[in-house]
Amino acid sequence: MRILIVEDEKPLREQILSLMATEKYACDAAADGREGLFLGSEYDYDLAIIDLGLPLLDGTQLIRELRAKERNFPILILTARGNWQDKVSGLEAGADDYLTKPFHPEELRARIHALLRRASGHASSVLRYGPITIDTSAKRVHRDETEVELTSFEYNTLTYLALHAGKNISKSELTEHLYAQDYDRDSNVIEVFVGRLRKKLDPDGSLNLISTQRGLGYRFNLDKQ
Amino acid sequence: MRILIVEDEKPLREQILSLMATEKYACDAAADGREGLFLGSEYDYDLAIIDLGLPLLDGTQLIRELRAKERNFPILILTARGNWQDKVSGLEAGADDYLTKPFHPEELRARIHALLRRASGHASSVLRYGPITIDTSAKRVHRDETEVELTSFEYNTLTYLALHAGKNISKSELTEHLYAQDYDRDSNVIEVFVGRLRKKLDPDGSLNLISTQRGLGYRFNLDKQ
DNA sequence: CTTCAACGATCAAAATACGCATGGATCGGT
DNA sequence: ACCGATCCATGCGTATTTTGATCGTTGAAG
């Protein structure tokens, strides 16, 4: 999952970044509205966290411009306590949720979870695909009642593929969503991780868990239940 | 739009109901959790507003049971001021948003807007041409319910032709769009790929899927639906 | 009606690109 | 410094793409 953070106050920005890091999300950060607009236009994020009070380009305006450009990822706005008018204008501009500063880190974590979950059209935090079960809040994976130990990259790769079950996901889409900015493209990390996932989750290939569409990408083949 | 309201305090319930009425939403109201569960299981709502502190069946539990029954409409929860733990557990149970009581009516209106917009924001990426179906986000092609496996060049050729259905597309236009830089002209790759597409998608020629305009190019013959 | 030339279709072989497994290097946390 | 996680380089096997040769079609001219 790749997340954009637009926050001008450095301490808060750093705090959010480190929180996101513990969650193993790939993050890009911008310190003002204009930079945020640039990044948000450039990349396809899974979520954006935007402070409404921003230099150079107001948060509300930033959201409007992003939405005008068909950027449809969920947006969580941060507002100073007390002025609900801000929240309302932000939501009307196209944000999906808000959080009042100061906030409890745990709450931010929960809101982000909820937004990402909702954006992928899944209500419950446990995803079930036949014998494969992914608990996104505990970040644990089971196959037929027995837990499968995954590293965080293996987990992220699996989740991204599973959330787009049935779709062909290109390797570049995967790297874009699993890694932060500028990543060396000519590497075969993705192939390695897909290989590991197959070995761990479907050693004998009987599930045909992840199939490769040569030249197009990978596809997660189990239906959500 | 049909909305479910589960709120035990009558004055607040009435207030929400009248607010919804001004928005022209169709509403059902329940005064306790059990009634809410009954209504929520029975009908397919577009959104639910649920107070967390409910008699007979706790709000969090109610949400969990609804989600377990595959009720995937967005849920907005109402909580008493101050205890963010409630919100968190509600969101983890499968809610999408919350509002702290007391709230400003204007704000409730905005949140509901945002949720409904998000829920319906599923722009279909499926192109349908009679029996031929192209899912551009999954990069998969079907003819009459059965999937047709295409290689990436076959897929690209098909999509370009389909997106310009009814028009004559010259071979040079195709090469220009399918290949990066100037491509060796005296080659018959395009003919080969058109041939493959015809064979895979319309083996007996009954659809007249792609006709050739001698000297002009090719034409995709099905109308978009 | 036949002939001819230009164009397109088809096929199979050759060239290429792509993905996979493997093992070792490097990174990062404890 | 250690250990596991992640990343990278290599070579191999194979699906895909490309090519070139051949054959079929078309439409116009003779």
Side-chain angles (χ1 to χ4, degrees), chain B:
Chain B
M1 290 295 164
R2 187 162 181 184
I3 295 182
L4 172 65
I5 296 159
V6 191
E7 168 60 61
D8 55 321
E9 300 165 39
K10 190 167 182 188
L12 182 52
R13 192 169 66 235
E14 300 289 336
Q15 187 198 333
I16 298 173
L17 277 167
S18 83
L19 178 63
M20 294 301 101
T22 68
E23 294 287 314
K24 307 288 180 193
Y25 294 134
C27 293
D28 298 341
D32 61 69
R34 209 175 286 167
E35 194 184 349
L37 179 58
F38 170 76
L39 286 172
S41 315
E42 198 70 6
Y43 301 103
D44 183 28
Y45 292 96
D46 298 290
L47 184 139
I49 302 171
I50 298 178
D51 195 321
L52 281 190
L54 284 174
L56 294 182
L57 180 65
D58 176 57
T60 310
Q61 195 52 34
L62 168 57
I63 294 168
R64 237 183 280 278
E65 300 212 17
L66 287 172
R67 291 310 192 205
K69 292 188 177 190
E70 303 284 299
R71 299 295 164 187
N72 291 322
F73 43 73
I75 295 179
L76 175 77
I77 53 184
L78 305 177
T79 72
R81 170 190 298 274
N83 41 350
W84 58 264
Q85 294 90 339
D86 270 14
K87 308 167 195 169
V88 171
S89 66
L91 292 169
E92 289 292 359
D96 300 276
D97 203 352
Y98 71 84
L99 206 53
T100 311
K101 296 188 289 187
F103 52 84
H104 197 288
E106 191 58 21
E107 190 165 352
L108 177 58
R109 214 181 55 79
R111 310 306 299 268
I112 289 175
H113 258 173
L115 281 174
L116 288 176
R117 185 162 40 74
R118 168 127 222 102
S120 66
H122 280 268
S124 166
S125 54
V126 177
L127 308 172
R128 187 173 296 278
Y129 301 84
I132 303 289
T133 268
I134 306 175
D135 183 336
T136 57
S137 76
K139 300 202 172 185
R140 299 172 78 173
V141 175
H142 292 256
R143 155 140 196 203
D144 295 325
E145 319 306 324
T146 65
E147 179 161 9
V148 181
E149 303 268 4
L150 297 183
T151 71
S152 68
F153 254 85
E154 289 164 359
Y155 174 82
N156 287 334
T157 310
L158 174 66
T159 342
Y160 191 85
L161 288 171
L163 284 175
H164 300 83
K167 290 184 185 173
N168 273 315
I169 306 296
S170 69
K171 280 186 285 187
S172 61
E173 184 177 345
L174 272 171
T175 46
E176 271 175 34
H177 284 267
L178 297 178
Y179 294 90
Q181 301 113 0
D182 18 52
Y183 184 77
D184 185 10
R185 264 94 191 286
D186 44 354
S187 148
N188 62 346
V189 253
I190 298 302
E191 280 131 16
V192 172
F193 280 111
V194 170
R196 295 232 184 103
L197 282 176
R198 291 205 255 238
K199 188 177 286 181
K200 283 189 176 180
L201 287 166
D202 186 23
D204 55 357
S206 58
L207 285 181
N208 186 24
L209 187 66
I210 301 168
S211 61
T212 100
Q213 256 55 35
R214 196 157 246 263
L216 296 173
Y218 296 99
R219 191 171 66 199
F220 188 87
N221 280 315
L222 299 179
D223 287 330
K224 180 141 189 267
Q225 285 164 342

